[in-house]
Amino acid sequence: MTISRLPVAALTLKQFLQRQKILGIYRNMLRTIRHVPDEADRKYLRDWARDEFKRNKNATNQDAIRMMVTQANNHLEELQKSLALAKS
């Protein structure tokens, strides 16, 4: 019997790539939130984003994860558009 060097909870390639994509969305969201002019709004949005990602951290259903990724991208695009309109 051979012993695997991988930890029991090692991610598959697909899971790893999906995780990287989600972390990228999270980082982009936080970067975009930094451009919100009002400090109170910035704190609210940062806390909201952090809570949403933490709340869904342990999701395993692939369909639900894809839906959440789509929603996160939509929220990010909406926030970026709102900030662009506010600057113009």
Side-chain angles (χ1 to χ4, degrees):
M1 188 159 112
T2 53
I3 299 173
S4 174
R5 292 183 179 168
L6 292 175
V8 176
L11 300 174
T12 65
L13 178 61
K14 186 176 182 177
Q15 290 170 328
F16 175 78
L17 293 174
Q18 186 176 51
R19 182 176 187 272
Q20 293 302 336
K21 181 178 181 178
I22 292 167
L23 288 173
I25 294 169
Y26 180 66
R27 281 192 224 82
N28 285 336
M29 194 167 285
L30 292 180
R31 282 186 200 116
T32 303
I33 289 170
R34 280 189 223 147
H35 297 288
V36 173
D38 184 52
E39 178 65 33
D41 290 341
R42 199 168 38 242
K43 182 178 178 352
Y44 171 78
L45 288 169
R46 189 174 45 241
D47 291 344
W48 170 80
R50 188 175 292 138
D51 290 343
E52 283 296 309
F53 277 83
K54 276 186 182 179
R55 187 168 55 88
N56 295 309
K57 179 181 178 181
N58 296 318
T60 56
N61 183 328
Q62 292 300 313
D63 292 332
I65 292 171
R66 277 193 292 273
M67 182 192 68
M68 288 184 274
V69 167
T70 302
Q71 284 180 336
N73 277 323
N74 289 342
H75 287 303
L76 179 59
E77 287 176 18
E78 188 176 317
L79 180 60
Q80 289 169 337
K81 287 177 185 176
S82 296
L83 287 172
L85 284 173
K87 287 182 181 181
S88 59

